[in-house]
Amino acid sequence: MSANTPLVLITPEAREALELEAERAGIGGDLVGGLLFGYPVDERRRLVVYSVRPRPEVGFGQKGFSLDQSRTSQQLAAARKLASQADYCGVWYLHRTPDPELTDDEWVQAQGVLEDPDFRFKDLVCLVLCLYSGDLNTYAFSVSYTHLRAHET
């Protein structure tokens, strides 16, 4: 990790909610993921305070992803009860393999979110929860425009 790569911190409550979603998803075949809410603590650290698996109408899916503010405002309000400075800060995915690398579809979604003019992210937190052989491991990434351009080449 370079000195410029943000460190992703997760509150115990947000981690517990993510683990519960992974447990609910089990070994099913559907893509599972959702939104992360949090804020930059400083230039180096990002704090995730809340996570949610959106309802289907939010637009999360294998081929598209939408952070339509009119459909996620309740989740954002809940996050702001935990931390008044919370905002959309990223996405999370559940992989049913030990591989924490983002899939091509996930890279496309991350790029779409990062480039969305309504959100103006400097960087985007991506959490990958790997549920494999009964073990759950969490991997955190911070994706910036530099990472996206490197992935495209």
Side-chain angles (χ1 to χ4, degrees), residues 109-152:
Q109 289 175 355
Q111 180 175 0
V113 171
L114 189 59
E115 294 177 345
D116 188 326
D118 290 336
F119 296 96
R120 299 178 193 91
F121 290 110
K122 178 181 175 183
D123 52 55
L124 183 73
V125 172
C126 293
L127 293 181
V128 176
L129 291 82
C130 293
L131 178 62
Y132 187 73
S133 296
D135 292 327
L136 180 65
N137 295 297
T138 304
Y139 301 90
F141 305 94
S142 179
V143 179
S144 67
Y145 290 107
T146 305
H147 289 106
L148 291 174
R149 298 301 164 244
H151 181 74
E152 289 175 351

Side-chain angles (χ1 to χ4, degrees), residues 44-62:
R44 175 88 172 99
R45 298 174 294 165
R46 306 293 177 265
L47 179 64
V48 175
V49 299
Y50 191 76
S51 65
V52 64
R53 180 178 179 186
R55 297 179 310 273
E57 66 270 17
V58 172
F60 188 90
Q62 290 187 10

Side-chain angles (χ1 to χ4, degrees), residues 12-32:
E13 297 81 7
R15 182 172 188 74
E16 188 176 309
L18 287 164
E19 290 171 353
L20 180 62
E21 287 297 342
E23 190 177 301
R24 285 183 187 156
I27 58 170
D30 292 337
L31 178 69
V32 177

Side-chain angles (χ1 to χ4, degrees), residues 31-85:
L31 178 69
V32 177
L35 305 174
L36 298 171
F37 301 90
Y39 60 94
V41 175
D42 53 34
E43 273 299 309
R44 175 88 172 99
R45 298 174 294 165
R46 306 293 177 265
L47 179 64
V48 175
V49 299
Y50 191 76
S51 65
V52 64
R53 180 178 179 186
R55 297 179 310 273
E57 66 270 17
V58 172
F60 188 90
Q62 290 187 10
K63 298 299 180 191
F65 189 84
S66 170
L67 286 179
D68 183 341
Q69 292 180 14
S70 68
R71 294 182 177 173
T72 57
S73 59
Q74 289 179 330
Q75 292 98 334
L76 179 57
R80 287 185 174 159
K81 287 181 182 177
L82 299 171
S84 61
Q85 64 272 52

